């Protein structure tokens, strides 16, 4: 599965290589403590680090353990299920001022090649600091959502959560305070009608890598 997640990351790079982006090294406004990932991505991250770094990483993360951070109630596919069934969703608290990512050093990512999809997919057409928010093309939002749905699907039954919680869990902390939620299979792809034709080849390639049959797509209400 770790090879497959790498294939998915490479595929995403191919599809976004020509996207107009203002992102560059040392621009780290999106590198907050609120980043999320699946357990599979956490295992990919650990697998890419030398064994000798694992303990130091767990120690470093334990400093973050009591900090306020975004803890998602819904995984992407749980949200898709709610969307498909036209059910209400709870508001989730996510604040910028909770601070920066534990992997940010000197305004650069210390695990750049191993970073999770949530970081890879934050591509803005404008400098976020200048405008206070990222500016993303609507199709890029759809592309990101579809990739997230497949990445979660690959780790069905595993867990999803804040980076600090997921990595602490993977390094042996079975503390119930390490709040994570469960990964789900794709219930329906969240693709608006205007993007269904353009996204179709991407979906086919993801389905081939992940080896999952596709059932149907749905519109975002
Ligand atoms: S893992 Fe790296 S790229 Fe992602 S938020 Fe942290 S510092 Fe930024």
């Amino acid at each position: 599965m770790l090879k497959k997640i790498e294939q998915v990351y490479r595929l995403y790079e191919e599809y976004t290589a020509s996207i107009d982006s203002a992102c560059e090294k040392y621009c780290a406004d999106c590198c907050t403590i609120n980043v999320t990932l699946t357990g599979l991505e956490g295992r990919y991250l650990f697998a890419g680090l030398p064994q000798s770094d694992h303990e130091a990483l767990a120690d470093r993360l334990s400093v973050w353990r009591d900090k306020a951070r975004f803890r998602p109630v819904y995984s992407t596919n749980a949200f898709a299920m709610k969307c498909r069934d036209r059910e209400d969703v709870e508001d989730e608290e996510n604040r910028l001022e909770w601070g920066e990512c534990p992997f940010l050093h000197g305004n650069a990512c210390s695990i750049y090649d191993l970073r999770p999809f949530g970081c890879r997919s934050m591509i803005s057409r404008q400098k976020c600091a200048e405008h206070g928010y990222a500016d993303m093309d609507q199709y890029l939002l759809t592309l990101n959502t579809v990739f997230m749905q497949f990445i979660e699907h690959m780790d069905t039954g595993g867990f999803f959560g804040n980076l600090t919680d997921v990595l602490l869990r993977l390094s042996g902390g079975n503390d119930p305070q390490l709040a994570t939620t469960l990964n789900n299979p794709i219930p329906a792809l969240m693709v608006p009608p205007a993007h269904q034709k353009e996204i179709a080849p991407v979906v086919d390639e993801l389905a081939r890598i992940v080896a999952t049959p596709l059932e149907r797509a749905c519109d975002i209400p």
Side-chain angles (χ1 to χ4, degrees):
M1 247 339 155
L2 295 186
K3 283 223 174 322
K4 289 192 175 199
I5 192 75
E6 182 150 312
Q7 281 179 271
V8 171
Y9 288 162
R10 295 289 90 84
L11 184 67
Y12 183 75
E13 280 169 16
E14 283 172 31
Y15 276 107
T16 52
S18 58
I19 281 187
D20 181 22
S21 163
C23 304
E24 58 187 4
K25 195 169 181 185
Y26 304 122
C27 175
D29 296 306
C30 61
C31 291
T32 74
I33 195 170
N34 300 323
V35 67
T36 56
L37 76 168
T38 60
L40 175 61
E41 292 182 279
R43 290 200 299 281
Y44 174 80
L45 197 162
F46 268 113
L49 290 174
Q51 190 67 33
S52 53
D53 286 358
H54 289 195
E55 209 172 309
L57 173 58
D59 286 348
R60 180 141 44 97
L61 286 167
S62 64
V63 175
W64 262 255
R65 148 182 230 117
D66 296 323
K67 293 194 181 198
R69 53 189 177 269
F70 173 55
R71 290 174 137 168
V73 175
Y74 306 105
S75 67
T76 312
N77 286 333
F79 182 82
M81 222 178 298
K82 292 272 183 190
C83 157
R84 181 197 62 188
D85 299 340
R86 303 288 193 263
E87 288 180 12
D88 292 337
V89 289
E90 285 176 41
D91 285 339
E92 297 183 293
E93 196 178 8
N94 189 343
R95 296 194 195 172
L96 258 183
E97 63 267 26
W98 280 336
E100 61 187 34
C101 174
F103 289 114
L104 191 64
H105 296 299
N107 257 13
C109 177
S110 56
I111 50 143
Y112 191 76
D113 290 339
L114 305 170
R115 70 199 188 289
F117 184 76
C119 311
R120 293 167 194 266
S121 59
M122 186 52 79
I123 304 172
S124 177
R125 291 185 288 203
Q126 64 183 16
K127 289 280 178 205
C128 305
E130 286 167 17
H131 302 268
Y133 56 90
D135 175 34
M136 283 193 193
D137 174 80
Q138 287 299 312
Y139 178 72
L140 179 60
L141 288 173
T142 298
L143 186 76
N144 288 351
T145 302
V146 166
F147 267 81
M148 282 192 281
Q149 289 196 258
F150 273 94
I151 287 171
E152 179 180 343
H153 184 98
M154 289 165 77
D155 196 24
T156 295
F159 50 89
F160 173 79
N162 182 281
L163 179 137
T164 300
D165 292 302
V166 167
L167 296 187
L168 279 171
R169 273 198 69 169
L170 288 174
S171 45
N174 228 353
D175 184 340
Q177 276 192 329
L178 298 175
T180 53
T181 187
L182 275 184
N183 289 326
N184 296 280
I186 296 170
L189 288 170
M190 293 193 285
V191 179
H195 298 156
Q196 287 188 356
K197 193 167 172 203
E198 193 175 357
I199 202 92
V202 184
V203 169
D204 286 346
E205 286 200 65
L206 283 167
R208 183 183 50 74
I209 293 171
V210 176
T212 193
L214 290 169
E215 289 175 5
R216 61 201 167 104
C218 78
D219 303 343
I220 299 175

